[in-house]
Amino acid sequence: MTLPEFRLLRPSNLSEVFAARRAYPGARLLAGGTDLVANLRHGIGRAPALIDITAVPGLGDIAEELSSLRIGAAVTLERLSNDPLIALHAPALAQAARQIAGPAHRTLATLGGNLCLDTRCIYYNQSAWWRQSNGFCLKYRGERCHVAPEGNRCRAAYSGDTAPALLALGATVELGDGTETGWVDLESMFQEDGAAHLRLGDSQVLLGVRVPIRSGLLAAYEKARLRGAMDFPLAGVAVALRREEDRLADLRIAVTGTNSRPVLLKDCEALVGRSIDEKALQQIDSLVQRQVKPMRTTLTPAHSRRRMAAALAVRLARRLWGR
Ligand SMILES: Cc1cc2nc3c(=O)[nH]c(=O)nc-3n(C[C@H](O)[C@H](O)[C@H](O)COP(=O)(O)OP(=O)(O)OC[C@H]3O[C@@H](n4cnc5c(N)ncnc54)[C@H](O)[C@@H]3O)c2cc1C
Ligand code: SF4
């Protein structure tokens, strides 16, 4: 459980961050460290250097732009939970941030670290000796997946809470690698592979998130967890909808805790133009149950997590529609 040796670098601007990445191949970015440091202590991964990005100017800012909110990657979860601009334009994001870890973690933990959180599994988030006694596993140092031994990929679950809220709100992310910087849909940052769920290049850094400000859009996030005070989601769901009179004008639903990536549900537009009655709620239930794929990565059975995700989506849709 002791930390391995590494160099700790604390660049004071972005050029120094990219220079440090070039100078130390295999270095890891360090934000709040609440996920990365715990994993290093468990002997999960090694890095010649950690590059602390929290002193880089601009990464800790929240600003209202023309029709969007720009949130720096190093904004802490505590700030997200309490910031007046977030409360006004993206309350679902504040709800998600408030439900992450405990209050002390949230003072350090950042939005960028939460989006780039490693995937989780009962066979992986264990001490090194525990994993070694099991022959490690396919994700790291082993040859076999204990969850799906017949398969050839890791099924560990993505369990970040802010990603579904941001997906439902239609957020984009800014990525930079020292030579070019650009905005892409948040959804495209992830892929369905528990051992490589982030589609970020070795030198890429998540710089910030942009959330469009849409009038009339109502959104909320809820999660199911074993310990109410502090726990990762067994399933977490964000719903965003816009109602015009008795007609649904927009619907987006995103789920975390079930797949190796946060899932933005497809085919929600089939419900647009209708009202959210019991039949529509049943359709939402089956959209979720068909598209999420929890595996045996927690002690709670996979089928219960699928049903939890569907129940949360139905509850949120009913509540937002009734507002
Ligand atoms: C007891 C406990 C309970 C927890 N409960 C929850 C929970 O309920 N929900 C939840 O979502 N999380 C939970 N977490 C995990 C973690 O605290 C949060 O996800 C937190 O937001 C991670 O942010 P961080 O800044 O500390 O990330 P770090 O640990 O610093 O980094 C996490 C990963 O992101 C990478 N990274 C960080 N910033 C960037 C960037 N800008 N660009 C590219 N890569 C980057 C790092 O290299 C690392 O791989 C919990 C942790 C603990 C210890
Ligand atoms: S899903 Fe399989 S490969 Fe992935 S962490 Fe769990 S046991 Fe390891």
Side-chain angles (χ1 to χ4, degrees):
M1 299 289 276
T2 48
L3 274 173
E5 289 211 4
F6 53 79
R7 266 187 106 87
L8 180 62
L9 308 169
R10 195 164 157 81
S12 56
N13 58 52
L14 268 183
S15 316
E16 287 178 16
V17 172
F18 296 122
R21 294 215 100 174
R22 284 191 296 275
Y24 292 92
R28 303 283 299 274
L29 296 176
L30 174 73
T34 59
D35 183 50
L36 179 60
V37 174
N39 283 348
L40 291 174
R41 270 193 198 284
H42 279 173
I44 293 174
R46 289 190 79 94
L50 300 190
I51 306 169
D52 178 350
I53 56 168
T54 56
V56 174
L59 292 191
D61 295 347
I62 299 179
E64 187 171 354
E65 299 179 337
L66 262 185
S67 55
S68 60
L69 268 188
R70 191 191 184 291
I71 310 168
V75 167
T76 64
L77 300 180
E78 184 192 39
R79 170 125 186 253
L80 275 187
S81 309
N82 298 310
D83 186 88
L85 280 176
I86 305 288
L88 182 65
H89 296 302
L93 179 58
Q95 285 164 15
R98 248 177 250 132
Q99 295 179 59
I100 295 171
H105 299 107
R106 293 195 293 272
T107 61
L108 288 172
T110 64
L111 177 61
N114 189 248
L115 289 173
C116 298
L117 184 70
D118 197 0
T119 54
R120 299 185 62 79
C121 171
I122 36 168
Y123 294 97
Y124 177 72
N125 298 102
Q126 302 287 355
S127 62
W129 66 262
W130 191 100
R131 286 178 290 116
Q132 184 174 20
S133 66
N134 246 343
F136 293 102
C137 76
L138 188 62
K139 178 166 178 180
Y140 188 59
R141 297 181 64 184
E143 283 167 11
R144 194 159 172 268
C145 171
H146 307 299
V147 166
E150 70 288 354
N152 58 3
R153 78 166 169 83
C154 168
R155 312 292 181 123
Y158 180 82
S159 307
D161 284 295
T162 58
L166 288 168
L167 285 171
L169 293 171
T172 50
V173 286
E174 186 180 25
L175 304 175
D177 63 5
T179 49
E180 57 179 3
T181 299
W183 290 92
V184 295
D185 283 346
L186 173 60
E187 192 185 10
S188 67
M189 202 175 92
F190 300 102
Q191 60 190 1
E192 189 65 54
D193 181 344
H197 68 298
L198 291 176
R199 297 174 69 203
L200 290 184
D202 282 346
S203 54
Q204 274 185 315
V205 178
L206 170 62
L207 301 173
V209 174
R210 191 179 272 156
V211 183
I213 299 174
R214 294 197 177 128
S215 72
L217 191 78
L218 297 173
Y221 175 75
E222 265 195 42
K223 72 198 255 190
R225 50 183 160 177
L226 283 181
R227 293 170 297 182
M230 165 165 70
D231 219 336
F232 286 90
L234 292 169
V237 179
V239 174
L241 64 79
R242 199 155 53 80
R243 177 176 178 166
E244 284 171 0
E245 307 282 329
D246 251 357
R247 177 184 163 275
L248 184 67
D250 199 0
L251 175 69
R252 286 167 74 94
I253 301 176
V255 183
T256 188
T258 55
N259 288 53
S260 296
R261 66 187 162 101
V263 179
L264 178 63
L265 289 198
K266 295 193 193 338
D267 303 331
C268 288
E269 57 283 359
L271 290 157
V272 169
R274 296 169 46 186
S275 81
I276 297 280
D277 52 14
E278 287 308 312
K279 198 165 165 218
L281 290 170
Q282 265 172 25
Q283 259 177 276
I284 289 176
D285 183 294
S286 69
L287 276 181
V288 177
Q289 297 225 35
R290 269 191 276 122
Q291 293 183 47
V292 303
K293 264 203 173 13
M295 299 290 289
R296 216 169 28 88
T297 54
T298 64
L299 292 174
T300 306
H303 69 274
S304 306
R305 283 155 60 211
R306 181 186 296 111
R307 293 178 65 178
M308 282 174 199
L312 288 173
V314 167
R315 186 156 86 191
L316 285 174
R318 182 184 276 126
R319 193 200 306 153
L320 292 171
W321 178 256
R323 257 214 234 152

